[in-house]
Amino acid sequence: ENNNNTPRSARDKGTGFVHFGESAWSFPVVIGLAKAAGSWDVFFAVLILLLNLGMQVMFSYIILGEDFMGQEFTVEVGHARRWRTAFAHDYKYLDLAGTSLVTRVCILLWSFCVFKELRSVWLSVEAILHIPRGKRTIFQEDAFQGISKVRFKMLMFTFLIRTCIALLLLIAGIRWLARTTSITECMLNAVALNAILDVDEFLFAAFTPVSIQLAVQNLEPIAVKYSTRRSQRESMFLFIVLVTTVLQVYLQYMDPLVQTMMEVKREMCYGNQTFVVAQNEITQVILGQTTASGAGSMTVTELAVQEHKFLSPGELPKFITFTESSRFEEERSHSMEKEADAFSLCIETEHLHPSG
């Protein structure tokens, strides 16, 4: 990764300094070179590196699995259609209601997290390519003067594995987030994905032997010269990647998801909603009943408050029967028999009906 805390003269000459991050992926850089590291330290560091590799591959495999992914959201269209035809207009479910869904942009945020990881890998590759290669690795005063071909190939292989895992997590994360229709779940899933990406840093901070930790932390940054042409090419490449990512995510995931959600909404909410049906089990005749539509989703109590809150002084309440404070609790718990004896009034079923 780049570090801006470098001398002014170095920055003016177009020279950047690449530091190796505090990560389990940095172990191959210092293994065998840290003088204070014993054989057990080296063994344990290699074990942590393999554990990091296994955990990230395992999580990627789990996320890509169909059992974890669940069904495509397009299946919900069929579910909504069956719900509308089988349950929504059944007289037994007069109060059944659905909730609207909201789209989100967590896919883009996750993509940017992975691109950050990929760029860090690329900067490390550039730094290694600037170290002279030979038969032996020359490591003096925490700085590389030369690197052996064997260590160079080992580091390139490590960078390749790291890149493959990042790309695998990118694809798995996008597919997973694309099937998440809740904002809360989407945010939590994005945080969980980022935690998988940071497993190498967690292992470095929690379990790495001190000798290996200090060897990585004390590594001198590698100077890399950047020409104007190289900077221009990189800027153009990053611009293309950004635009491609935004368009790809929108066209392949966001737009189809919105269209599918609109189709689900159409199946659940559009058309004639003010009726219920039931079948006479004896005659097999299907009967229909028109339902009220004016009250919307308000309860009877909410409707009473809505009608009363803006009444002028002196106007009679429409749905509320006011009583004295001393009798409020008693009348609030009246049985239907007592209520009928005291106040036998026919209630307008357009506003108050048995189902509430």
mmCIF file of all heavy atoms in Angstrom, residues 232-262:
data_model
loop_
_atom_site.group_PDB
_atom_site.id
_atom_site.type_symbol
_atom_site.label_atom_id
_atom_site.label_comp_id
_atom_site.label_asym_id
_atom_site.label_seq_id
_atom_site.Cartn_x
_atom_site.Cartn_y
_atom_site.Cartn_z
ATOM 1 N N GLN A 232 -1.068 8.098 -16.137
ATOM 2 C CA GLN A 232 -2.202 8.334 -17.037
ATOM 3 C C GLN A 232 -2.884 7.023 -17.430
ATOM 4 O O GLN A 232 -4.118 6.936 -17.467
ATOM 5 C CB GLN A 232 -1.716 9.067 -18.298
ATOM 6 C CG GLN A 232 -1.208 10.475 -18.041
ATOM 7 C CD GLN A 232 -2.326 11.411 -17.643
ATOM 8 O OE1 GLN A 232 -3.448 11.303 -18.103
ATOM 9 N NE2 GLN A 232 -2.009 12.366 -16.766
ATOM 10 N N ARG A 233 -2.076 6.007 -17.718
ATOM 11 C CA ARG A 233 -2.645 4.710 -18.089
ATOM 12 C C ARG A 233 -3.430 4.109 -16.925
ATOM 13 O O ARG A 233 -4.513 3.552 -17.122
ATOM 14 C CB ARG A 233 -1.531 3.750 -18.531
ATOM 15 C CG ARG A 233 -0.926 4.065 -19.884
ATOM 16 C CD ARG A 233 -0.223 2.834 -20.442
ATOM 17 N NE ARG A 233 0.846 2.402 -19.536
ATOM 18 C CZ ARG A 233 2.123 2.723 -19.659
ATOM 19 N NH1 ARG A 233 2.508 3.515 -20.670
ATOM 20 N NH2 ARG A 233 3.032 2.274 -18.817
ATOM 21 N N GLU A 234 -2.873 4.238 -15.724
ATOM 22 C CA GLU A 234 -3.570 3.702 -14.561
ATOM 23 C C GLU A 234 -4.888 4.443 -14.321
ATOM 24 O O GLU A 234 -5.915 3.822 -14.004
ATOM 25 C CB GLU A 234 -2.688 3.796 -13.316
ATOM 26 C CG GLU A 234 -3.347 3.168 -12.086
ATOM 27 C CD GLU A 234 -2.524 3.357 -10.823
ATOM 28 O OE1 GLU A 234 -2.043 4.492 -10.592
ATOM 29 O OE2 GLU A 234 -2.375 2.394 -10.064
ATOM 30 N N SER A 235 -4.863 5.763 -14.457
ATOM 31 C CA SER A 235 -6.083 6.546 -14.264
ATOM 32 C C SER A 235 -7.157 6.141 -15.264
ATOM 33 O O SER A 235 -8.339 5.995 -14.911
ATOM 34 C CB SER A 235 -5.787 8.044 -14.392
ATOM 35 O OG SER A 235 -4.885 8.462 -13.395
ATOM 36 N N MET A 236 -6.760 5.956 -16.522
ATOM 37 C CA MET A 236 -7.712 5.532 -17.541
ATOM 38 C C MET A 236 -8.272 4.148 -17.225
ATOM 39 O O MET A 236 -9.486 3.901 -17.345
ATOM 40 C CB MET A 236 -7.044 5.524 -18.914
ATOM 41 C CG MET A 236 -7.966 5.108 -20.050
ATOM 42 S SD MET A 236 -9.394 6.215 -20.241
ATOM 43 C CE MET A 236 -8.556 7.711 -20.789
ATOM 44 N N PHE A 237 -7.390 3.248 -16.792
ATOM 45 C CA PHE A 237 -7.825 1.893 -16.461
ATOM 46 C C PHE A 237 -8.803 1.906 -15.284
ATOM 47 O O PHE A 237 -9.843 1.240 -15.317
ATOM 48 C CB PHE A 237 -6.617 1.021 -16.137
ATOM 49 C CG PHE A 237 -6.975 -0.362 -15.659
ATOM 50 C CD1 PHE A 237 -7.425 -1.325 -16.541
ATOM 51 C CD2 PHE A 237 -6.860 -0.690 -14.312
ATOM 52 C CE1 PHE A 237 -7.771 -2.598 -16.092
ATOM 53 C CE2 PHE A 237 -7.197 -1.954 -13.863
ATOM 54 C CZ PHE A 237 -7.647 -2.905 -14.758
ATOM 55 N N LEU A 238 -8.487 2.680 -14.243
ATOM 56 C CA LEU A 238 -9.362 2.749 -13.072
ATOM 57 C C LEU A 238 -10.711 3.377 -13.420
ATOM 58 O O LEU A 238 -11.750 2.973 -12.892
ATOM 59 C CB LEU A 238 -8.684 3.542 -11.952
ATOM 60 C CG LEU A 238 -7.432 2.899 -11.344
ATOM 61 C CD1 LEU A 238 -6.812 3.833 -10.318
ATOM 62 C CD2 LEU A 238 -7.764 1.565 -10.711
ATOM 63 N N PHE A 239 -10.698 4.362 -14.322
ATOM 64 C CA PHE A 239 -11.950 4.978 -14.764
ATOM 65 C C PHE A 239 -12.827 3.955 -15.482
ATOM 66 O O PHE A 239 -14.033 3.869 -15.238
ATOM 67 C CB PHE A 239 -11.651 6.158 -15.681
ATOM 68 C CG PHE A 239 -12.883 6.761 -16.316
ATOM 69 C CD1 PHE A 239 -13.721 7.585 -15.590
ATOM 70 C CD2 PHE A 239 -13.196 6.491 -17.645
ATOM 71 C CE1 PHE A 239 -14.858 8.134 -16.163
ATOM 72 C CE2 PHE A 239 -14.325 7.035 -18.234
ATOM 73 C CZ PHE A 239 -15.153 7.863 -17.489
ATOM 74 N N ILE A 240 -12.204 3.156 -16.353
ATOM 75 C CA ILE A 240 -12.952 2.133 -17.091
ATOM 76 C C ILE A 240 -13.516 1.091 -16.120
ATOM 77 O O ILE A 240 -14.675 0.663 -16.239
ATOM 78 C CB ILE A 240 -12.051 1.466 -18.151
ATOM 79 C CG1 ILE A 240 -11.678 2.482 -19.237
ATOM 80 C CG2 ILE A 240 -12.759 0.259 -18.771
ATOM 81 C CD1 ILE A 240 -10.687 1.956 -20.248
ATOM 82 N N VAL A 241 -12.704 0.688 -15.123
ATOM 83 C CA VAL A 241 -13.163 -0.295 -14.137
ATOM 84 C C VAL A 241 -14.345 0.248 -13.343
ATOM 85 O O VAL A 241 -15.336 -0.450 -13.108
ATOM 86 C CB VAL A 241 -12.008 -0.683 -13.191
ATOM 87 C CG1 VAL A 241 -12.539 -1.487 -12.003
ATOM 88 C CG2 VAL A 241 -10.958 -1.480 -13.930
ATOM 89 N N LEU A 242 -14.263 1.518 -12.934
ATOM 90 C CA LEU A 242 -15.344 2.126 -12.153
ATOM 91 C C LEU A 242 -16.640 2.187 -12.956
ATOM 92 O O LEU A 242 -17.710 1.771 -12.469
ATOM 93 C CB LEU A 242 -14.938 3.525 -11.703
ATOM 94 C CG LEU A 242 -15.990 4.326 -10.920
ATOM 95 C CD1 LEU A 242 -16.363 3.601 -9.637
ATOM 96 C CD2 LEU A 242 -15.487 5.733 -10.627
ATOM 97 N N VAL A 243 -16.562 2.700 -14.184
ATOM 98 C CA VAL A 243 -17.766 2.813 -15.021
ATOM 99 C C VAL A 243 -18.342 1.437 -15.324
ATOM 100 O O VAL A 243 -19.561 1.218 -15.258
ATOM 101 C CB VAL A 243 -17.439 3.567 -16.323
ATOM 102 C CG1 VAL A 243 -18.635 3.537 -17.263
ATOM 103 C CG2 VAL A 243 -17.044 5.005 -16.022
ATOM 104 N N THR A 244 -17.452 0.487 -15.646
ATOM 105 C CA THR A 244 -17.910 -0.874 -15.950
ATOM 106 C C THR A 244 -18.605 -1.512 -14.757
ATOM 107 O O THR A 244 -19.639 -2.177 -14.896
ATOM 108 C CB THR A 244 -16.721 -1.745 -16.378
ATOM 109 O OG1 THR A 244 -16.078 -1.164 -17.515
ATOM 110 C CG2 THR A 244 -17.193 -3.148 -16.743
ATOM 111 N N THR A 245 -18.031 -1.291 -13.581
ATOM 112 C CA THR A 245 -18.633 -1.868 -12.371
ATOM 113 C C THR A 245 -20.016 -1.299 -12.122
ATOM 114 O O THR A 245 -20.974 -2.042 -11.839
ATOM 115 C CB THR A 245 -17.733 -1.597 -11.151
ATOM 116 O OG1 THR A 245 -16.439 -2.153 -11.379
ATOM 117 C CG2 THR A 245 -18.337 -2.205 -9.895
ATOM 118 N N VAL A 246 -20.139 0.023 -12.217
ATOM 119 C CA VAL A 246 -21.428 0.661 -11.970
ATOM 120 C C VAL A 246 -22.471 0.171 -12.971
ATOM 121 O O VAL A 246 -23.593 -0.204 -12.594
ATOM 122 C CB VAL A 246 -21.297 2.194 -12.037
ATOM 123 C CG1 VAL A 246 -22.678 2.846 -11.964
ATOM 124 C CG2 VAL A 246 -20.415 2.719 -10.914
ATOM 125 N N LEU A 247 -22.100 0.143 -14.256
ATOM 126 C CA LEU A 247 -23.048 -0.297 -15.283
ATOM 127 C C LEU A 247 -23.384 -1.775 -15.137
ATOM 128 O O LEU A 247 -24.544 -2.181 -15.283
ATOM 129 C CB LEU A 247 -22.468 -0.021 -16.671
ATOM 130 C CG LEU A 247 -22.332 1.455 -17.067
ATOM 131 C CD1 LEU A 247 -21.688 1.578 -18.440
ATOM 132 C CD2 LEU A 247 -23.696 2.144 -17.057
ATOM 133 N N GLN A 248 -22.357 -2.585 -14.857
ATOM 134 C CA GLN A 248 -22.582 -4.025 -14.729
ATOM 135 C C GLN A 248 -23.514 -4.339 -13.566
ATOM 136 O O GLN A 248 -24.455 -5.140 -13.694
ATOM 137 C CB GLN A 248 -21.240 -4.743 -14.524
ATOM 138 C CG GLN A 248 -21.342 -6.259 -14.413
ATOM 139 C CD GLN A 248 -21.605 -6.911 -15.762
ATOM 140 O OE1 GLN A 248 -21.555 -6.260 -16.801
ATOM 141 N NE2 GLN A 248 -21.904 -8.205 -15.741
ATOM 142 N N VAL A 249 -23.255 -3.699 -12.436
ATOM 143 C CA VAL A 249 -24.099 -3.935 -11.259
ATOM 144 C C VAL A 249 -25.528 -3.483 -11.524
ATOM 145 O O VAL A 249 -26.489 -4.174 -11.179
ATOM 146 C CB VAL A 249 -23.521 -3.206 -10.024
ATOM 147 C CG1 VAL A 249 -24.519 -3.211 -8.879
ATOM 148 C CG2 VAL A 249 -22.218 -3.854 -9.595
ATOM 149 N N TYR A 250 -25.683 -2.332 -12.173
ATOM 150 C CA TYR A 250 -27.032 -1.819 -12.432
ATOM 151 C C TYR A 250 -27.772 -2.697 -13.437
ATOM 152 O O TYR A 250 -28.915 -3.101 -13.207
ATOM 153 C CB TYR A 250 -26.966 -0.385 -12.948
ATOM 154 C CG TYR A 250 -28.328 0.161 -13.316
ATOM 155 C CD1 TYR A 250 -29.218 0.594 -12.336
ATOM 156 C CD2 TYR A 250 -28.742 0.222 -14.651
ATOM 157 C CE1 TYR A 250 -30.477 1.070 -12.666
ATOM 158 C CE2 TYR A 250 -29.995 0.693 -14.990
ATOM 159 C CZ TYR A 250 -30.850 1.122 -13.991
ATOM 160 O OH TYR A 250 -32.094 1.586 -14.333
ATOM 161 N N LEU A 251 -27.111 -3.001 -14.553
ATOM 162 C CA LEU A 251 -27.787 -3.726 -15.633
ATOM 163 C C LEU A 251 -28.024 -5.186 -15.287
ATOM 164 O O LEU A 251 -29.058 -5.761 -15.654
ATOM 165 C CB LEU A 251 -26.970 -3.619 -16.925
ATOM 166 C CG LEU A 251 -26.840 -2.211 -17.509
ATOM 167 C CD1 LEU A 251 -25.928 -2.225 -18.738
ATOM 168 C CD2 LEU A 251 -28.207 -1.648 -17.881
ATOM 169 N N GLN A 252 -27.062 -5.816 -14.582
ATOM 170 C CA GLN A 252 -27.175 -7.250 -14.330
ATOM 171 C C GLN A 252 -27.924 -7.573 -13.047
ATOM 172 O O GLN A 252 -28.554 -8.632 -12.946
ATOM 173 C CB GLN A 252 -25.782 -7.884 -14.273
ATOM 174 C CG GLN A 252 -25.816 -9.413 -14.146
ATOM 175 C CD GLN A 252 -24.449 -10.032 -14.311
ATOM 176 O OE1 GLN A 252 -23.485 -9.357 -14.661
ATOM 177 N NE2 GLN A 252 -24.334 -11.323 -14.039
ATOM 178 N N TYR A 253 -27.886 -6.659 -12.066
ATOM 179 C CA TYR A 253 -28.477 -6.985 -10.776
ATOM 180 C C TYR A 253 -29.567 -6.007 -10.337
ATOM 181 O O TYR A 253 -30.674 -6.415 -9.996
ATOM 182 C CB TYR A 253 -27.386 -7.058 -9.692
ATOM 183 C CG TYR A 253 -26.415 -8.181 -9.916
ATOM 184 C CD1 TYR A 253 -25.154 -7.937 -10.442
ATOM 185 C CD2 TYR A 253 -26.766 -9.497 -9.616
ATOM 186 C CE1 TYR A 253 -24.261 -8.973 -10.657
ATOM 187 C CE2 TYR A 253 -25.885 -10.539 -9.830
ATOM 188 C CZ TYR A 253 -24.625 -10.272 -10.351
ATOM 189 O OH TYR A 253 -23.748 -11.299 -10.576
ATOM 190 N N MET A 254 -29.236 -4.698 -10.325
ATOM 191 C CA MET A 254 -30.174 -3.741 -9.759
ATOM 192 C C MET A 254 -31.443 -3.603 -10.585
ATOM 193 O O MET A 254 -32.559 -3.702 -10.071
ATOM 194 C CB MET A 254 -29.493 -2.370 -9.604
ATOM 195 C CG MET A 254 -28.286 -2.372 -8.696
ATOM 196 S SD MET A 254 -28.686 -2.888 -7.017
ATOM 197 C CE MET A 254 -29.706 -1.548 -6.482
ATOM 198 N N ASP A 255 -31.288 -3.358 -11.894
ATOM 199 C CA ASP A 255 -32.465 -3.155 -12.743
ATOM 200 C C ASP A 255 -33.351 -4.394 -12.805
ATOM 201 O O ASP A 255 -34.574 -4.283 -12.622
ATOM 202 C CB ASP A 255 -32.026 -2.724 -14.143
ATOM 203 C CG ASP A 255 -33.215 -2.337 -15.012
ATOM 204 O OD1 ASP A 255 -33.966 -1.428 -14.620
ATOM 205 O OD2 ASP A 255 -33.396 -2.945 -16.081
ATOM 206 N N PRO A 256 -32.787 -5.598 -13.028
ATOM 207 C CA PRO A 256 -33.667 -6.780 -12.994
ATOM 208 C C PRO A 256 -34.340 -6.977 -11.640
ATOM 209 O O PRO A 256 -35.495 -7.406 -11.574
ATOM 210 C CB PRO A 256 -32.702 -7.941 -13.308
ATOM 211 C CG PRO A 256 -31.584 -7.310 -14.064
ATOM 212 C CD PRO A 256 -31.426 -5.951 -13.462
ATOM 213 N N LEU A 257 -33.620 -6.654 -10.544
ATOM 214 C CA LEU A 257 -34.217 -6.805 -9.221
ATOM 215 C C LEU A 257 -35.391 -5.851 -9.050
ATOM 216 O O LEU A 257 -36.446 -6.228 -8.529
ATOM 217 C CB LEU A 257 -33.166 -6.545 -8.142
ATOM 218 C CG LEU A 257 -33.659 -6.649 -6.694
ATOM 219 C CD1 LEU A 257 -34.171 -8.050 -6.392
ATOM 220 C CD2 LEU A 257 -32.566 -6.246 -5.726
ATOM 221 N N VAL A 258 -35.213 -4.602 -9.501
ATOM 222 C CA VAL A 258 -36.307 -3.634 -9.401
ATOM 223 C C VAL A 258 -37.503 -4.101 -10.224
ATOM 224 O O VAL A 258 -38.657 -4.021 -9.767
ATOM 225 C CB VAL A 258 -35.833 -2.236 -9.869
ATOM 226 C CG1 VAL A 258 -37.014 -1.279 -9.980
ATOM 227 C CG2 VAL A 258 -34.796 -1.667 -8.906
ATOM 228 N N GLN A 259 -37.239 -4.582 -11.434
ATOM 229 C CA GLN A 259 -38.330 -5.063 -12.283
ATOM 230 C C GLN A 259 -39.050 -6.253 -11.644
ATOM 231 O O GLN A 259 -40.285 -6.345 -11.688
ATOM 232 C CB GLN A 259 -37.790 -5.458 -13.666
ATOM 233 C CG GLN A 259 -37.167 -4.318 -14.445
ATOM 234 C CD GLN A 259 -38.142 -3.176 -14.691
ATOM 235 O OE1 GLN A 259 -39.327 -3.392 -14.921
ATOM 236 N NE2 GLN A 259 -37.644 -1.945 -14.637
ATOM 237 N N THR A 260 -38.270 -7.148 -11.044
ATOM 238 C CA THR A 260 -38.875 -8.308 -10.392
ATOM 239 C C THR A 260 -39.710 -7.881 -9.198
ATOM 240 O O THR A 260 -40.818 -8.399 -8.971
ATOM 241 C CB THR A 260 -37.779 -9.286 -9.933
ATOM 242 O OG1 THR A 260 -36.991 -9.687 -11.056
ATOM 243 C CG2 THR A 260 -38.401 -10.529 -9.304
ATOM 244 N N MET A 261 -39.189 -6.927 -8.411
ATOM 245 C CA MET A 261 -39.932 -6.444 -7.245
ATOM 246 C C MET A 261 -41.214 -5.742 -7.668
ATOM 247 O O MET A 261 -42.253 -5.856 -6.998
ATOM 248 C CB MET A 261 -39.040 -5.517 -6.415
ATOM 249 C CG MET A 261 -37.877 -6.243 -5.756
ATOM 250 S SD MET A 261 -36.668 -5.137 -5.006
ATOM 251 C CE MET A 261 -37.590 -4.520 -3.613
ATOM 252 N N MET A 262 -41.156 -5.006 -8.777
ATOM 253 C CA MET A 262 -42.370 -4.371 -9.286
ATOM 254 C C MET A 262 -43.379 -5.413 -9.747
ATOM 255 O O MET A 262 -44.591 -5.243 -9.580
ATOM 256 C CB MET A 262 -42.019 -3.422 -10.433
ATOM 257 C CG MET A 262 -41.238 -2.186 -10.010
ATOM 258 S SD MET A 262 -42.138 -1.177 -8.796
ATOM 259 C CE MET A 262 -43.567 -0.697 -9.746
#
